[in-house]
Every structure is written in structure tokens, then in C-alpha cells.
Amino acid sequence: LPLVFRLDRVPRFARVPSKAAENNIPMELIAERLNRISPSLTIAMTSKARALKAAGRDVIGLAAGEPDFDTPDNVKQAAVRAIMSGETKYTDVAGTLPLRKAVAEKFRRDSGIDYKPEEIIISTGGKQVIFNAMLATLNQGDEAIIPTPCWVSYPDIVSLADGKPVLIPCEQNNGFRLRAEALEAAITARTKWFILNNPCNPTGAAYSAEDLRPICDVLLRHPDVWIFADDIYEKLAYDGFKPATIVEVEPRLKDRTITMNGCSKAYAMTGWRIGFCGGPAQLIKAMDKLQSQSTSNTSSVSQAAAIEALTGQQESIREMAEVYRQRRDLVVEMLNAAPGITCHKPEGAFYVFPAIYGCIGKTSRGGAKITDDESFTVALLEEEGVAAVHGAAFVYPGHFRISYATSTEALREACTRIQRFCQGLR
Amino acid sequence: MDAAASASPGFSQRLQRVQVAATVAMTTKARAMRALGIDVIALTIGEPDFATPRHAIEAGYQAALAGQTKYPPQDGLPVLKQAVQKKFARENGLDFALDQIMVGNGGKQVIFDALMATVDEGDEVVVPAPYWGAYPLMTKLLGAKPVFVNCPQNNGFKLRPEDLDAAITPRTKWVILNFPNNPTGAACTREEMAALGEVMLRHPHVWIMSDDMYEHLLYEGEYVTMAQAEPRLRDRTLTISGVSKTYAMTGWRIGFCGGPQPLIRAMVNMQGQATAGVSSVGQAAAAAALEGPQEVVAECVAAYRRRRDLVLTALQAAPGISCHKPQGAFYVYPNVAGCLGKTTPAGTRIDSDQDFTLALLEEKHVAVVHGGAFGMSPYLRISYATNDAALAEACKRIVEFCTSLS
């Protein structure tokens, strides 16, 4: 595991080329803060795959972070009704009252947490909830603790808001879960936020109520630390695993926790752009104020659709989850049969995050030297037409991410190709 | 636990530089009174009362039913970007490549993206006053400094080239132009725009943000945007518009812009961190609005012109008020200097435009926004984007209110 430990010491933001430099944006035009965003490695991979596809190559894309299912029909119909009945005007910046009530009901029903409508805000995707929370609270030098592997937007948004991301690597041999002692060790007097993504993108690792208990105990000992619980993949957990959320496990943390969720993953509604959260009224009010100056409300039509998603039939979630489970099992089994790869079987989300340590130092059939996770995914794409994202894109080299939100046949073919690729390594 | 008593993480300094928009505060107050059963007429909101055009509605629901509900590209769906490209060519004589165009969650986000991608602590943004409150608030939020230039009533609330020139310093990053203007309705002729362009040519380090959200709501003369009036400024001008005001599509949240590609790239990077893409269904509807028949726009414009004239005529009977006749948008910005120092029948003394709006709401149940919220007092902003009957009744109450002052 040497890669993991090295990462702990190397400040990632010092060594990556800035987004601005990557895009040839003149320095005198842009704000200093733009230099703090790292280049999107996911997008780089996606464009490479697109170019190969355009050139006529048979490429299987496993890079996307969105469900391949369609938005459920009842939700679409609700949107059509909203459109036809003229729900096309500005709404309250924080979202319509009926939607905030539906969200309150969702938190009560799923997690036993009581939020009043004024403790809830609706935003343009879960991403904006994070953006609002960080911009509303972080000053220069404030720290936000982020377990890695992580969705790269967390450190980027923290940096944009003048904060300092503090990264804690979570090893595969612990199921990519955060150890309470590692959290305890990372907290300093400057710690403002602890961000926990459960289930996690990109590892699929999830925390039950029991798993969260020791983490909550650490947080109880540090009353100045606020908690951002990103539960966007909550509904995507398998084999009866129930991901818990912080406030559900420890109600005494409620007055310093943001509980975030949304419609994108659970209801296959990525394009509708609906994220939301519950939290202490004062912080919600601050986030509302920020949102009123950056975007105002999210689409009124999408808000109407979200009400139906949250309050209508929930059967489609179970159907999707069952399909995801079968795909996960298929992918984990096939990847573990590929020489040099070890793939942990995660509890949730729709990703696996296999390690490729056994492949490093070898050479592919096409003559590519596999020196790290990036050269692995590039060679895999060029030689076998399989597009995945390398671990560095999630601040965790030595692995790659596969999204199994694609058809079972495509997955089987992709895994066969990965096996062939690994067998060809010398 | 109530809002005041709830815990707070300690807010960022940037947040403390921002307050809730007066427009929102007044609207909320009016809504609260209405909830108590009081017959309040709200003329506070800049929102068309018309319905979204038929063809846009159809495109929206067809997109929803057809499953166009996946993450859209962060810079906008190709179908909308192409429609925007054609719109700029057709209506503004501006040619943009597709990578010089982006889509945001309303015009507001486009402005936010541009400022957030470009301004640092200490940079200056020139904002002609009266202004839409979002310009200075966003500027301050991002650590930069708004520099105001007065556009006096005796110049038709227009920006004078010499005043613009005097406001520019070596730290100026942007000049924001918004004609037709919110809140005054003032618009610029081609000559006036060209004269402002002359000034900008002398300051090559300054970028121009032309917020053209009200470009179609013009009742006199021909619309011209800066990049069109002065093509030599195109490589440092961001031209912003949207479907909210033109097509009565506020709730769909679609704004867009065209500008130099490096700036657009930086803005897309920034938006990628804030919200990512914009509602795919909304984008499909917006594309249809731009590509479809444009007669609906002319119909709305005719209705707004009629309402503007209705309000202007009615307010002539209000003692103490003098109202400039605006060329565009859907606002009038009457001066209430003649009412200051007087007292209402309920005994409230009117010492400012804010006193005026609060008393008018309390005593006559008409909600308007005070000029101070737009950087110039003592004025009122009255939105006439509401039906004729409500407007006539509201004006009648304003006249009664002014007449009753002693």
C-alpha cells in the first residue's frame, strides 16, 4: 500500500496543474480562486473515450456517474402536469413549501429525523448544497476533513471557498471505511467541517448505524466541528444493508449537521437538478441568502417532479437496486478473476474501486508500460476499448473506478476485456 | 428550536457582506399580509404574468416523457446552444462559435459565474445606479468592490460617457451595463451605446458585461447591445440574455451568454463546481422558445406598453410624485421627493422612500420596492408585469395615499 501513504504526505493541490493552465485561460483574466480547482480527470477520460468512439472504435463506457435507468413514469407525468398547469414561475429561493414538506416527510420516514420546512433548502443538485454550505461558512485557513477516496468536488469546493481540505486515506483492507481514530487524529482547532459520503463515490463503501457509532462518539468530543452528511446514494445499498445517517445515529449532533440528499441517484433524475438538505435553521437561512445571489430557485418544473418522486410509489427504487446488486456481484466476481486486480465488494452506490497493484510495473500486449493507475486506464481504453476512471481522479491512486450503471451485457463484455487485458500483461 | 436560537457554525466573512434582497423582503411581507386575509396588490416582482409559450411547453413535456432527463453537459445541451447561437446572429448580429456560448441556471447564475471566475479581492466592478441589487451584492460576496456611477433622472436615467470614464481605475475589472434597465426602464440608442463604447476603447484592461435580459421589452427605438454597437469591444464583452423575461419563463431557470472563449471556459469551470448543468427539461423548452414563432413576444410587448402608459397616466394624478417615462423593461421608477416630510392619515411621517413603501403597504395594501434598494432615492420601483385591473386598482390606491398625505 505504499501509494496510499505517500498520498497522505503530498499536498495534492501543490502538484496538479491548475484548471486554468490546462485550458489555456489567460492568467490576467481569471480570479486566483479558479487556479485552485483541479483539472477534471473524469472529463479528460470521457473525452478520450468519445474521440475513440467517433473514430469508429467499439468503446464500452464505464465512466459515467449516473443511473442508466429512466426517470420513473409517475415522476415524468407529474412534471407534465406542472408544465401544463403553469407552474413555470419563480418559486421561493429555498424551494416550494410543498416540496420542502415532502422532503421533511422523507427525512422522517427514512431516517426518523424531524426537520421543519424552514430547516430545509432545495438546490440545483446536491452539488449546490455543498457549494452553499462551504461558501457560507469557510474562511481562509478553515479546514474540512474529507475521507478519501472521495468525489473530487469536495476538496475543490472547499478550496474555492478559501478552506483547506484535510484528506484521510481509508484503506481497502478496511473496506474503504474511515476509522474513528483516524478522524480523531485529523481534527484540529481549525477544523470546521467533516464531510462523510455514505454510501461513497467512488468506493461504494457504506456505514450502518453500528459503523457510525464510533465516528459519532469522536464528533461528540469535538463540539466545534460541523458535519456534512452526503447521503445521495442512500437508496442504493444491497443485501439488506441499511446505510445510516449521522443525526439518525446521534440526535445530539443534529444542531451541527447538514443532512444532504437528492433525487438524482435514487430516482434516476440527474438531469432534473434537485438536491436538498436539512439542517439548523440559521445555517439554512445563510445558504438561502447565498443561493438568492447565485442562482435563485432551481427549476419549478423539476421541483414538482421531485414531490412526486418523494411521495409517490417507491417500488422503482427496489427494482433498480435489485438490478444494481446483480451487476455488482457480476463485476466483482469477474474482476477478481483478472490477474493483478483485487476488487472489494462494496455495500452500495453503483461503483466498484478495484486495486491494480498487481499490474503495476508490467507491460501490456500493445507495449504500454503500466506505471500507475492512469497508464493502466489509458492502455485499457486504447487496447480494449473500455473506459473507466483512474483512482487519482478520486485522490486515491493505485485503483480505478468502474460504474456499473450500465447494461448487464455491456458489463459482462467489459469485464471479459479487462480480464484479457490483465492476462496479457507481462 | 426556532430560527433565531438555532446553532450556527460561524459564518464566512463573505456571507456577512450579503443581505436579503429588498425585493424579496417586500414580497415576503406582502405574502404574509395576504395570508392574514388582507387584499394586498404586490407590484414588487420582476416576473411576467404571461404563460410560457405553447411550443415551449410542448417541448418541455416531450423532453420529460422522452427521457431527456440525464446530466446535461455543464455548458448546456447542444440543441439549446445552437438555438442561442442563432438567436445572437439573428437578433443581435453577433456571431459566436458554440464554445463561446454557455447556459446557466438563470441569467443570475451567468453573472455569478462570470464574476466568480474573474474577480479577486480588491478588484473593482463599475455598476451604474440605479441598479439591480444582485450586481453589487455578488461583487461584494466575492470580495471585490462595486463602484457606483449615478445615472440621474434628468438624463433619463442613462449613463453619461464622462461619468463612466471617471469611474474607471487601474483596478477596474468589469463594467456592467443593463439597458433596458431594471429598475428604471431606461434604454440606450445606438449613438448613446457607441459613445459608451468610445470610453471603453480607451480602457483596454476593462471587461464589459452587457446584461440584456430585457432586450425585447422595448417600446421605443431599436435595441442595440454593446458588442454590436462597438465591434472592437467584442473580444472583451460578455453578452448575457435569457428566456425568463422575453418568453415569460422565469421558473424554468434558463439564462445564457456569448463571449470570448477563454472567459466562457473559465465560467464553465466555475459553474461545474457550483451546480453543474441546468435542468435538461428546461433547456429543451428554452430551445423551443428561441426557435419557435416569435409573435408571442410582440403580443406581450404590446400589453406591457399599454400597461406602462396606464400607470404613467394614473400616477400623474398623485400629488408629490413625478414619473419619468421609461423606454423599456416592465418597471416605472417614480420620484417621491414631493411626499417627503409629510404625514399619513395613520400618523406615519414619511422621511424616506422606504418609509413611503412601508406606509403604503400598511395603509393602502400596495407593495412596491423603495429606490434605496436600487441605489437611488427617493424613488419607488413599480413592476407593471401584472394584469390591467390590478394595476389600475393599485394606482388608484397610490393616488389616494399621496392625496391623503398632509
Side-chain angles (χ1 to χ4, degrees), chain A residues 291-344:
Chain A
Q291 185 162 304
S292 81
Q293 296 304 340
S294 61
T295 60
S296 297
N297 60 274
T298 192
S299 159
S300 57
V301 172
S302 299
Q303 291 189 56
I307 295 175
E308 174 62 24
L310 294 171
T311 60
Q313 61 80 21
Q314 303 294 306
E315 193 48 42
S316 56
I317 292 181
R318 276 185 289 277
E319 288 163 11
M320 288 189 245
E322 177 50 24
V323 175
Y324 285 135
R325 185 199 58 80
Q326 290 167 13
R327 293 174 182 170
R328 178 202 58 171
D329 292 349
L330 170 81
V331 170
V332 169
E333 194 191 324
M334 288 187 77
L335 289 178
N336 277 321
I341 288 186
T342 55
C343 185
H344 174 76

Side-chain angles (χ1 to χ4, degrees), chain B residues 34-56:
Chain B
R34 215 176 265 156
L36 296 175
I38 301 168
D39 161 37
V40 175
I41 304 175
L43 307 178
T44 49
I45 293 210
E47 176 168 51
D49 60 319
F50 299 103
T52 300
R54 202 72 236 159
H55 49 280

Side-chain angles (χ1 to χ4, degrees), chain A residues 80-407:
Chain A
V80 169
R81 284 195 300 275
I83 292 171
M84 302 304 275
S85 66
E87 283 183 49
T88 55
K89 302 289 179 190
Y90 289 125
T91 74
D92 284 344
V93 170
T96 65
L97 187 60
L99 177 53
R100 282 181 286 140
K101 284 182 171 162
V103 168
E105 181 48 36
K106 177 250 172 293
F107 282 128
R108 198 170 300 126
R109 178 182 72 215
D110 293 343
S111 315
I113 308 174
D114 275 315
Y115 287 117
K116 300 192 195 82
E118 66 269 24
E119 295 174 315
I120 286 167
I121 183 167
I122 316 297
S123 295
T124 304
K127 192 177 247 182
Q128 193 180 19
V129 177
I130 304 166
F131 183 82
N132 287 339
M134 297 304 134
L135 258 76
T137 56
L138 289 176
N139 283 316
Q140 193 82 40
D142 286 342
E143 297 174 355
I145 295 175
I146 304 164
T148 65
C150 70
W151 186 41
V152 76
S153 288
Y154 301 135
D156 277 345
I157 292 173
V158 166
S159 302
L160 257 187
D162 299 335
K164 187 178 153 202
V166 173
L167 308 173
I168 309 180
C170 303
E171 304 91 358
Q172 174 167 299
N173 64 16
N174 192 41
F176 296 111
R177 289 204 194 105
L178 174 69
R179 294 177 201 273
E181 10 358 321
L183 173 62
E184 177 81 62
I187 293 174
T188 73
R190 291 308 303 265
T191 306
K192 192 132 199 181
W193 286 99
F194 162 57
I195 302 177
L196 187 68
N197 183 205
N198 175 26
C200 169
N201 170 13
T203 64
Y207 302 78
S208 65
E210 199 183 325
D211 298 328
L212 284 182
R213 187 66 256 169
I215 290 173
C216 289
D217 290 339
V218 170
L219 293 166
L220 280 174
R221 286 199 291 279
H222 297 279
D224 293 333
V225 176
W226 281 61
I227 301 116
F228 193 101
D230 177 350
D231 303 335
I232 195 86
Y233 294 96
E234 174 197 19
K235 298 289 183 187
L236 306 182
Y238 316 114
D239 304 327
F241 191 95
K242 162 93 173 69
T245 191
I246 297 275
V247 177
E248 177 185 14
V249 175
E250 183 45 85
R252 283 177 291 174
L253 292 172
K254 187 183 175 199
D255 64 358
R256 51 187 170 109
T257 300
I258 288 283
T259 306
M260 188 209 105
N261 217 306
C263 294
S264 299
K265 315 292 178 179
Y267 303 98
M269 288 178 66
T270 47
W272 300 83
R273 312 306 299 124
I274 298 285
F276 49 77
C277 74
Q282 255 207 89
L283 177 54
I284 296 296
K285 211 166 148 190
M287 290 163 68
D288 181 325
K289 208 156 109 178
L290 249 168
Q291 185 162 304
S292 81
Q293 296 304 340
S294 61
T295 60
S296 297
N297 60 274
T298 192
S299 159
S300 57
V301 172
S302 299
Q303 291 189 56
I307 295 175
E308 174 62 24
L310 294 171
T311 60
Q313 61 80 21
Q314 303 294 306
E315 193 48 42
S316 56
I317 292 181
R318 276 185 289 277
E319 288 163 11
M320 288 189 245
E322 177 50 24
V323 175
Y324 285 135
R325 185 199 58 80
Q326 290 167 13
R327 293 174 182 170
R328 178 202 58 171
D329 292 349
L330 170 81
V331 170
V332 169
E333 194 191 324
M334 288 187 77
L335 289 178
N336 277 321
I341 288 186
T342 55
C343 185
H344 174 76
K345 184 175 178 176
E347 296 83 12
F350 41 64
Y351 310 106
V352 291
F353 198 62
I356 55 153
Y357 300 115
C359 303
I360 288 175
K362 298 190 172 171
T363 304
S364 72
R365 276 205 188 98
K369 184 111 179 109
I370 308 299
T371 53
D372 57 13
D373 49 312
E374 183 168 15
S375 47
F376 178 90
T377 50
V378 169
L380 180 65
L381 176 60
E382 283 171 356
E383 298 179 23
E384 290 288 356
V386 174
V389 188
H390 61 296
F394 307 97
V395 211
Y396 208 90
H399 290 250
F400 66 110
R401 187 190 78 172
I402 286 182
S403 160
Y404 52 83
T406 191
S407 78

Side-chain angles (χ1 to χ4, degrees), chain A residues 28-55:
Chain A
E28 67 278 8
L29 167 63
I30 60 149
E32 186 271 323
R33 69 173 73 81
L34 196 67
N35 288 321
R36 300 179 219 148
I37 310 178
S38 51
S40 172
L41 302 174
T42 318
I43 288 174
M45 204 60 184
T46 313
S47 4
K48 202 170 279 178
R50 203 175 297 136
L52 279 178
K53 227 175 221 172

Side-chain angles (χ1 to χ4, degrees), chain A residues 28-33, chain B residues 113-120 123 173-174 263 266-267 270:
Chain A
E28 67 278 8
L29 167 63
I30 60 149
E32 186 271 323
R33 69 173 73 81
Chain B
D113 289 338
L115 292 176
M116 189 153 182
T118 57
V119 301
D120 282 319
D123 284 345
K173 190 113 195 191
W174 286 98
L263 172 65
M267 290 169 63
M270 193 51 71

